[in-house]
Amino acid sequence: MKGVGSVRNQYLATFCVNLLTVSYGFACSWTSPSFPILMSEDTPLASGPITSEDGSWIAAQLCVGGLIGNLLAGWTAERFGRKLTACMAAVPQIMMWLMVILADNVYYLMAVRFFGGFSGGMCFMVVPTFIAEISEDRIRGLLGSTLVLSSNLGILIMYIVGAVFDYGTVPYVLLPVPLIFLVCFWCMPESPFYLMKKNDYVSSERSLRFYRGFNKGSSQQLSEEFHIELVKLKDTFNDDKRQSESDKITWSDLTTRHARKAFLIGICLMALNQYCGCFVMLNYTATIFEESGSSMAPNTAAMIIGTIQMFGSYLSTMLVERAGRKLLLIISSIGIAVGMSIFSAYSYVQLLGYDVSLFDWLPLVCFSWVIFIGSFGVLTVPFVVLAELVPQKIKSFALSFCMNSLWVFAFLAMKYFSPLSEALGMHGILLLFAIFSLAGAIFVAIMVPETKGKSFETIARLMN
């Protein structure tokens, strides 16, 4: 009689590793409830209130840290393993909250955001890799989709904590999360693939047994089943090793028609992901609502937005295999453009001095719509499309290059949001986001092929 395995430990490990992603969500949205306080006369900083210019530099450090963390994580994951790299990513999160506690000037706050971004750059490289390597084929997509959901959950929790607790209490409330992650995740085995790659066959089998839910005493009755899976795992590693030795990337590999088109689409989708304005607005949620003249308390509005974002990202996982990638991107981009345009018109009419009290609900509705429609398309689908369009031989390099481009775009968007909003007005910057989103919809309609249900060979033919 053959033993029956369980997926319980795969779910448990996914939950544990995503505590890291939840904690990164805290770092992403910490500025939303904090900036209004830091810019006020009641600022807790000994150096006094921060300026708008200070705020732009503080916000942008998340992207600088993310770029460096992204570059480092690929190397550490291969050198030291997925497990240790994930644990290393928790250290800057701990340092981040300690810096918030100690902060008495703007430079501390820049370090806070840098550490948060550094952890996020590592997190978004190692967490998907770890989850993919421990998961069975039938639940790999489901477990992999928890990355974005977990990050959005962290954003929502930060909004709630920022509204309920005062500025000085927030770090004490959130600091335990990365500590709990370290305790929980340290008990999880390394991924079986990485252990096999290091020629540690005994540990690889032990790890695989754990993640498949088989008891230690069932080795004889399950030897055939495990032999098949371990042989498959070993063959996969050997194939990858032979390919890496014989298929070194050359300049000609990066300049084929397929590669050039994939890079163009990838970079443009990364730009759309940032310049549609959703990520920036999530970092400045409370500030935007305060400046838009909405009668709703900014932190209350932020909590509503966070909840809607969670729902939107969940909906994306349900629709991406049904509606298709291209359609979701187009609908999402156009939807953002419409929402931003209406929000911009409201802000402009208010600036002209007209009575808009009957429409003070409009900023919340527009913001909610933008985040919702963005979360099930522009904010999530580009990463799926990118992984499918890139030629297999240069996939690792191309994905890393495009992710680094994303952090650069994010830095520019975060750094220049405040100066541009002051120069153009809130209505001007919102209209600019709308124009970028509409341009993105046109680009997707013309340049991006539909990849739903297509093999990599079919996609390659479409790209040539």
Side-chain angles (χ1 to χ4, degrees):
M1 178 179 177
K2 289 189 176 182
V4 179
S6 168
V7 298
R8 181 188 62 184
N9 289 341
Q10 296 171 56
Y11 280 99
L12 177 62
T14 300
F15 170 80
C16 290
V17 76
N18 272 316
L19 288 175
L20 185 68
T21 317
V22 171
S23 189
Y24 168 66
F26 302 158
C28 280
S29 53
W30 171 79
T31 52
S32 177
S34 301
F35 269 11
I37 299 170
L38 294 167
M39 291 179 173
S40 71
E41 293 300 323
D42 297 325
T43 180
L45 301 180
S47 59
I50 64 173
T51 65
S52 177
E53 178 68 11
D54 293 334
S56 68
W57 279 111
I58 292 168
Q61 295 310 306
L62 182 85
C63 309
V64 178
L67 177 62
I68 298 174
N70 181 73
L71 293 171
L72 180 65
W75 178 76
T76 57
E78 292 301 316
R79 180 71 181 271
F80 303 111
R82 287 61 162 138
K83 177 179 175 179
L84 185 57
T85 299
C87 290
M88 289 168 60
V91 176
Q93 291 185 359
I94 296 170
M95 295 175 66
M96 168 186 169
W97 296 119
L98 293 177
M99 293 294 283
V100 173
I101 295 171
L102 298 173
D104 62 3
N105 61 57
V106 68
Y107 299 106
Y108 279 87
L109 301 182
M110 289 183 183
V112 165
R113 289 285 283 179
F114 176 85
F115 285 132
F118 186 88
S119 174
M122 297 187 72
C123 173
F124 273 76
M125 284 294 289
V126 71
V127 171
T129 302
F130 176 79
I131 292 176
E133 291 179 355
I134 68 166
S135 305
E136 296 179 30
D137 293 341
R138 59 192 174 98
I139 61 171
R140 182 171 293 121
L142 174 63
L143 296 185
S145 67
T146 60
L147 179 72
V148 175
L149 284 173
S150 299
S151 178
N152 290 342
L153 176 61
I155 291 173
L156 174 59
I157 292 173
M158 181 69 248
Y159 288 154
I160 296 172
V161 171
V164 173
F165 298 96
D166 61 69
Y167 174 86
T169 306
V170 168
Y172 293 100
V173 174
L174 301 179
L175 177 59
V177 176
L179 296 173
I180 293 171
F181 159 77
L182 285 173
V183 173
C184 295
F185 192 65
W186 192 254
C187 301
M188 298 293 115
E190 177 61 88
S191 87
F193 179 85
Y194 177 78
L195 293 170
M196 182 66 73
K197 190 173 183 179
K198 293 299 180 181
N199 297 318
D200 191 347
Y201 303 116
V202 174
S203 296
S204 179
E205 178 176 355
R206 189 181 301 120
S207 172
L208 190 64
R209 291 174 64 85
F210 174 83
Y211 289 120
R212 297 301 177 265
F214 294 114
N215 297 324
K216 292 181 179 180
S218 59
S219 58
Q220 292 183 342
Q221 63 184 23
L222 295 173
S223 59
E224 181 180 355
E225 180 178 345
F226 265 87
H227 174 73
I228 293 173
E229 189 157 8
L230 283 173
V231 167
K232 181 180 178 181
L233 188 64
K234 186 175 181 180
D235 288 345
T236 300
F237 164 65
N238 288 333
D239 288 344
D240 288 346
K241 185 176 180 180
R242 284 192 296 269
Q243 183 177 4
S244 65
E245 292 173 348
S246 60
D247 295 339
K248 300 295 184 182
I249 296 177
T250 63
W251 178 251
S252 61
D253 294 322
L254 302 175
T255 55
T256 63
R257 177 177 173 82
H258 184 178
R260 285 186 282 111
K261 191 173 180 181
F263 274 113
L264 174 64
I265 293 174
I267 292 172
C268 288
L269 288 180
M270 296 301 102
L272 174 61
N273 178 274
Q274 287 302 311
Y275 297 144
C276 70
C278 293
F279 183 69
V280 175
M281 292 175 73
L282 286 169
N283 280 269
Y284 286 94
T285 301
T287 302
I288 290 172
F289 273 97
E290 191 171 37
E291 294 183 7
S292 69
S294 173
S295 60
M296 179 173 290
N299 285 331
T300 302
M303 287 188 285
I304 296 173
I305 295 300
T307 303
I308 290 171
Q309 184 189 22
M310 279 285 295
F311 177 69
S313 58
Y314 173 77
L315 188 62
S316 174
T317 64
M318 300 295 104
L319 292 177
V320 71
E321 293 297 344
R322 294 178 172 87
R325 288 77 155 131
K326 185 169 183 173
L327 182 60
L328 285 182
L329 284 171
I330 294 173
I331 292 175
S332 180
S333 299
I334 294 175
I336 291 172
V338 171
M340 290 289 191
S341 298
I342 296 174
F343 200 170
S344 173
Y346 172 89
S347 298
Y348 185 64
V349 169
Q350 184 201 40
L351 181 67
L352 294 177
Y354 290 98
D355 182 12
V356 293
S357 58
L358 291 177
F359 302 96
D360 60 3
W361 46 267
L362 198 57
L364 178 62
V365 171
C366 289
F367 205 144
S368 301
W369 167 255
V370 165
I371 296 303
F372 168 74
I373 203 74
S375 294
F376 87 80
V378 170
L379 296 181
T380 53
V381 177
F383 306 103
V384 177
V385 172
L386 180 62
E388 294 174 332
L389 291 182
V390 174
Q392 192 67 30
K393 184 176 180 181
I394 64 169
K395 180 165 288 187
S396 295
F397 173 81
L399 292 178
S400 178
F401 181 86
C402 289
M403 284 302 298
N404 288 332
S405 300
L406 177 71
W407 284 112
V408 172
F409 294 143
F411 171 82
L412 295 174
M414 298 285 287
K415 173 64 183 72
Y416 292 105
F417 174 79
S418 288
L420 280 175
S421 62
E422 288 185 358
L424 303 176
M426 186 58 66
H427 64 283
I429 196 71
L430 293 173
L431 183 60
L432 198 60
F433 289 148
I435 293 171
F436 274 119
S437 299
L438 185 59
I442 296 171
F443 174 83
V444 171
I446 296 173
M447 294 296 297
V448 180
E450 178 56 72
T451 58
K452 184 190 75 168
K454 293 182 173 64
S455 66
F456 287 118
E457 291 77 12
T458 302
I459 293 172
R461 286 196 297 270
L462 290 173
M463 294 288 284
N464 285 313

